[in-house]
Amino acid sequence: MRTYDNPVISGFHPDPSVCRVGDDYYLVCSSFEYFPGLPLFHSKDLVHWEQIGNVLDRPEQLPLPLPGAKASGGLYAPTIRHHDGRYWVACTNVDGGGTFVVSAERPEGPWSDPVWIDLPGIDPDLAWEEDGTCWCAFSGPGGGINLARIDPVGGVVLEGPVPTWSGSGLKFPEAPHLYRIGDWWYLLIAEGGTERGHSVSIARGRSPRGPWEGAPANPLLSHSGTARSIQNTGHADLVQAPDGSWWMVLLGVRPGGFTPDVHVLGRETFLTPVEWDEDGSPAVAPVPER
């Protein structure tokens, strides 16, 4: 799998989130104002993906018909996870209802009706501790990453939300994902906006509550200011393969033309490897074209 073509999912598949269950990978993307919503993909190798359905495929799953949503409104930045025998997706409908969680026994569905959660902001994440405690990190309305302890079944906020990390100093910290890896909790975010300054940064702490220590090499990944053919790299998610290797899915664009370059295919899904040093710090290769 070290040699492959990028993007792994081409053409208007932004904000990828991925999880692995056994030897299978599942990935979900933003769909904004389009219905059915949140396309869901399956892969055996992170490279070859097949769409197996949509998370939101019934009109009653949404409080506002998506044809009435504004352009680039609707469904933002989902997270997909597998926990306690179920698949979970958290997302935001920015045109009505806000943050919600849906779940299913099988990734092909049927997915539940949304459980709405009273949290402001966008880009909700889901992460569980070993005792079943569920955390939702999200991009707060005032900037920075917020954290809340939630009941994803009942839709109840049990603690917070509270500010948790403001990033490395770039604008628009967003798209958080929390992970427990070894003895550390890691908080992966996007920064710099979704245009040419788009970047990936990471911090770690001993608890999902923090405090967070940003990686000295932040941003962990950025093609900003380079001549690489893939630009706007950010909004990433991490996954470990069965062989122990680590990978990052993320969005990017392939601009073309004369200044200012445009990207007619929209934001696409790319793949790049991740290496961890003995201290538990990650390093991410620039996104390979092949």
Short mmCIF file of all heavy atoms in Angstrom, two decimals, residues 109-136:
data_model
loop_
_atom_site.label_atom_id
_atom_site.label_comp_id
_atom_site.label_asym_id
_atom_site.label_seq_id
_atom_site.Cartn_x
_atom_site.Cartn_y
_atom_site.Cartn_z
N GLY A 109 -26.56 0.63 7.34
CA GLY A 109 -27.81 1.11 7.88
C GLY A 109 -28.77 -0.01 8.19
O GLY A 109 -28.43 -1.19 8.06
N PRO A 110 -29.97 0.35 8.61
CA PRO A 110 -30.49 1.71 8.70
C PRO A 110 -29.88 2.48 9.87
O PRO A 110 -29.63 1.90 10.93
CB PRO A 110 -31.99 1.51 8.91
CG PRO A 110 -32.08 0.19 9.61
CD PRO A 110 -30.99 -0.66 9.03
N TRP A 111 -29.67 3.77 9.66
CA TRP A 111 -29.17 4.66 10.70
C TRP A 111 -30.36 5.27 11.44
O TRP A 111 -31.41 5.50 10.88
CB TRP A 111 -28.29 5.75 10.08
CG TRP A 111 -26.98 5.23 9.60
CD1 TRP A 111 -26.74 4.58 8.43
CD2 TRP A 111 -25.73 5.28 10.30
NE1 TRP A 111 -25.42 4.22 8.34
CE2 TRP A 111 -24.77 4.64 9.47
CE3 TRP A 111 -25.32 5.80 11.52
CZ2 TRP A 111 -23.43 4.51 9.85
CZ3 TRP A 111 -24.00 5.67 11.89
CH2 TRP A 111 -23.07 5.03 11.07
N SER A 112 -30.15 5.53 12.70
CA SER A 112 -31.21 6.04 13.55
C SER A 112 -31.61 7.46 13.15
O SER A 112 -30.90 8.14 12.40
CB SER A 112 -30.75 6.05 15.01
OG SER A 112 -29.74 7.03 15.20
N ASP A 113 -32.73 7.90 13.66
CA ASP A 113 -33.05 9.33 13.60
C ASP A 113 -32.05 10.09 14.47
O ASP A 113 -31.50 9.54 15.43
CB ASP A 113 -34.47 9.58 14.10
CG ASP A 113 -35.52 9.11 13.10
OD1 ASP A 113 -35.18 8.89 11.92
OD2 ASP A 113 -36.70 8.96 13.51
N PRO A 114 -31.82 11.36 14.16
CA PRO A 114 -30.82 12.12 14.93
C PRO A 114 -31.22 12.30 16.39
O PRO A 114 -32.39 12.50 16.72
CB PRO A 114 -30.79 13.47 14.20
CG PRO A 114 -31.29 13.19 12.83
CD PRO A 114 -32.31 12.11 13.00
N VAL A 115 -30.22 12.22 17.25
CA VAL A 115 -30.34 12.64 18.64
C VAL A 115 -29.67 14.01 18.72
O VAL A 115 -28.46 14.14 18.49
CB VAL A 115 -29.64 11.65 19.59
CG1 VAL A 115 -29.65 12.18 21.02
CG2 VAL A 115 -30.31 10.28 19.51
N TRP A 116 -30.46 15.03 19.01
CA TRP A 116 -29.95 16.41 18.98
C TRP A 116 -29.32 16.75 20.32
O TRP A 116 -29.84 16.40 21.38
CB TRP A 116 -31.07 17.38 18.63
CG TRP A 116 -31.60 17.10 17.26
CD1 TRP A 116 -32.66 16.31 16.93
CD2 TRP A 116 -31.03 17.54 16.02
NE1 TRP A 116 -32.81 16.25 15.56
CE2 TRP A 116 -31.82 16.99 14.97
CE3 TRP A 116 -29.94 18.35 15.68
CZ2 TRP A 116 -31.56 17.23 13.64
CZ3 TRP A 116 -29.68 18.59 14.35
CH2 TRP A 116 -30.47 18.04 13.34
N ILE A 117 -28.18 17.44 20.27
CA ILE A 117 -27.40 17.76 21.46
C ILE A 117 -27.19 19.26 21.51
O ILE A 117 -26.76 19.87 20.52
CB ILE A 117 -26.05 17.02 21.46
CG1 ILE A 117 -26.29 15.50 21.37
CG2 ILE A 117 -25.25 17.34 22.72
CD1 ILE A 117 -25.03 14.69 21.25
N ASP A 118 -27.47 19.86 22.63
CA ASP A 118 -27.42 21.31 22.78
C ASP A 118 -25.98 21.79 22.93
O ASP A 118 -25.51 22.10 24.02
CB ASP A 118 -28.26 21.75 23.99
CG ASP A 118 -28.36 23.28 24.11
OD1 ASP A 118 -28.06 23.97 23.11
OD2 ASP A 118 -28.73 23.75 25.20
N LEU A 119 -25.27 21.79 21.80
CA LEU A 119 -23.89 22.28 21.77
C LEU A 119 -23.76 23.30 20.64
O LEU A 119 -24.22 23.04 19.53
CB LEU A 119 -22.91 21.13 21.53
CG LEU A 119 -22.75 20.11 22.66
CD1 LEU A 119 -21.88 18.95 22.21
CD2 LEU A 119 -22.15 20.77 23.91
N PRO A 120 -23.12 24.43 20.89
CA PRO A 120 -22.91 25.41 19.83
C PRO A 120 -21.71 25.01 18.97
O PRO A 120 -20.94 24.12 19.32
CB PRO A 120 -22.61 26.69 20.60
CG PRO A 120 -21.91 26.20 21.84
CD PRO A 120 -22.58 24.89 22.18
N GLY A 121 -21.54 25.66 17.83
CA GLY A 121 -20.35 25.43 17.03
C GLY A 121 -20.56 24.35 15.98
O GLY A 121 -21.67 23.92 15.68
N ILE A 122 -19.43 23.86 15.44
CA ILE A 122 -19.44 22.92 14.32
C ILE A 122 -18.38 21.84 14.54
O ILE A 122 -17.61 21.88 15.48
CB ILE A 122 -19.17 23.65 12.98
CG1 ILE A 122 -17.81 24.38 13.02
CG2 ILE A 122 -20.29 24.61 12.63
CD1 ILE A 122 -17.38 24.97 11.68
N ASP A 123 -18.35 20.87 13.64
CA ASP A 123 -17.30 19.85 13.58
C ASP A 123 -17.23 18.97 14.83
O ASP A 123 -16.16 18.78 15.42
CB ASP A 123 -15.92 20.48 13.35
CG ASP A 123 -15.84 21.32 12.11
OD1 ASP A 123 -16.84 21.40 11.37
OD2 ASP A 123 -14.77 21.91 11.86
N PRO A 124 -18.34 18.37 15.27
CA PRO A 124 -18.30 17.56 16.49
C PRO A 124 -17.55 16.25 16.30
O PRO A 124 -17.61 15.62 15.24
CB PRO A 124 -19.78 17.31 16.79
CG PRO A 124 -20.44 17.35 15.44
CD PRO A 124 -19.68 18.41 14.67
N ASP A 125 -16.85 15.85 17.35
CA ASP A 125 -16.10 14.60 17.40
C ASP A 125 -16.69 13.72 18.49
O ASP A 125 -17.40 14.21 19.39
CB ASP A 125 -14.63 14.90 17.70
CG ASP A 125 -13.77 13.65 17.79
OD1 ASP A 125 -13.72 12.91 16.80
OD2 ASP A 125 -13.18 13.41 18.86
N LEU A 126 -16.41 12.42 18.44
CA LEU A 126 -16.81 11.51 19.48
C LEU A 126 -15.61 10.67 19.91
O LEU A 126 -14.89 10.15 19.06
CB LEU A 126 -17.92 10.57 19.01
CG LEU A 126 -19.28 11.19 18.69
CD1 LEU A 126 -20.19 10.16 18.04
CD2 LEU A 126 -19.93 11.76 19.95
N ALA A 127 -15.40 10.55 21.22
CA ALA A 127 -14.33 9.70 21.75
C ALA A 127 -14.78 9.15 23.10
O ALA A 127 -15.42 9.86 23.89
CB ALA A 127 -13.03 10.49 21.92
N TRP A 128 -14.45 7.87 23.33
CA TRP A 128 -14.88 7.20 24.55
C TRP A 128 -13.67 6.80 25.40
O TRP A 128 -12.65 6.35 24.88
CB TRP A 128 -15.68 5.94 24.22
CG TRP A 128 -17.08 6.18 23.80
CD1 TRP A 128 -18.19 6.15 24.59
CD2 TRP A 128 -17.56 6.44 22.48
NE1 TRP A 128 -19.33 6.39 23.85
CE2 TRP A 128 -18.97 6.57 22.55
CE3 TRP A 128 -16.92 6.59 21.24
CZ2 TRP A 128 -19.74 6.84 21.43
CZ3 TRP A 128 -17.69 6.86 20.13
CH2 TRP A 128 -19.09 6.98 20.22
N GLU A 129 -13.83 6.93 26.71
CA GLU A 129 -12.87 6.35 27.63
C GLU A 129 -13.23 4.89 27.87
O GLU A 129 -14.32 4.43 27.52
CB GLU A 129 -12.87 7.13 28.95
CG GLU A 129 -12.40 8.56 28.81
CD GLU A 129 -12.15 9.21 30.14
OE1 GLU A 129 -11.26 8.72 30.88
OE2 GLU A 129 -12.85 10.19 30.47
N GLU A 130 -12.33 4.16 28.51
CA GLU A 130 -12.57 2.73 28.76
C GLU A 130 -13.79 2.49 29.62
O GLU A 130 -14.45 1.44 29.50
CB GLU A 130 -11.32 2.10 29.39
CG GLU A 130 -10.13 2.01 28.45
CD GLU A 130 -8.94 1.33 29.09
OE1 GLU A 130 -9.06 0.97 30.29
OE2 GLU A 130 -7.92 1.15 28.42
N ASP A 131 -14.14 3.43 30.50
CA ASP A 131 -15.31 3.25 31.37
C ASP A 131 -16.61 3.66 30.69
O ASP A 131 -17.67 3.66 31.33
CB ASP A 131 -15.13 4.03 32.67
CG ASP A 131 -15.07 5.55 32.47
OD1 ASP A 131 -15.19 6.01 31.31
OD2 ASP A 131 -14.89 6.27 33.46
N GLY A 132 -16.56 4.02 29.41
CA GLY A 132 -17.75 4.39 28.68
C GLY A 132 -18.04 5.88 28.63
O GLY A 132 -18.99 6.30 27.95
N THR A 133 -17.26 6.69 29.33
CA THR A 133 -17.44 8.14 29.27
C THR A 133 -17.25 8.63 27.84
O THR A 133 -16.26 8.29 27.20
CB THR A 133 -16.44 8.85 30.20
OG1 THR A 133 -16.67 8.42 31.54
CG2 THR A 133 -16.59 10.36 30.11
N CYS A 134 -18.20 9.42 27.36
CA CYS A 134 -18.16 9.91 25.98
C CYS A 134 -17.86 11.41 25.97
O CYS A 134 -18.52 12.19 26.68
CB CYS A 134 -19.49 9.65 25.28
SG CYS A 134 -19.52 10.16 23.54
N TRP A 135 -16.88 11.78 25.17
CA TRP A 135 -16.48 13.18 25.01
C TRP A 135 -16.79 13.66 23.61
O TRP A 135 -16.64 12.92 22.64
CB TRP A 135 -14.98 13.34 25.29
CG TRP A 135 -14.59 13.05 26.70
CD1 TRP A 135 -14.08 11.88 27.20
CD2 TRP A 135 -14.72 13.94 27.81
NE1 TRP A 135 -13.86 11.98 28.54
CE2 TRP A 135 -14.25 13.23 28.96
CE3 TRP A 135 -15.17 15.23 27.97
CZ2 TRP A 135 -14.23 13.81 30.22
CZ3 TRP A 135 -15.15 15.82 29.23
CH2 TRP A 135 -14.68 15.10 30.33
N CYS A 136 -17.22 14.91 23.53
CA CYS A 136 -17.45 15.56 22.25
C CYS A 136 -16.60 16.82 22.20
O CYS A 136 -16.84 17.78 22.95
CB CYS A 136 -18.92 15.91 22.07
SG CYS A 136 -19.30 16.73 20.50
#
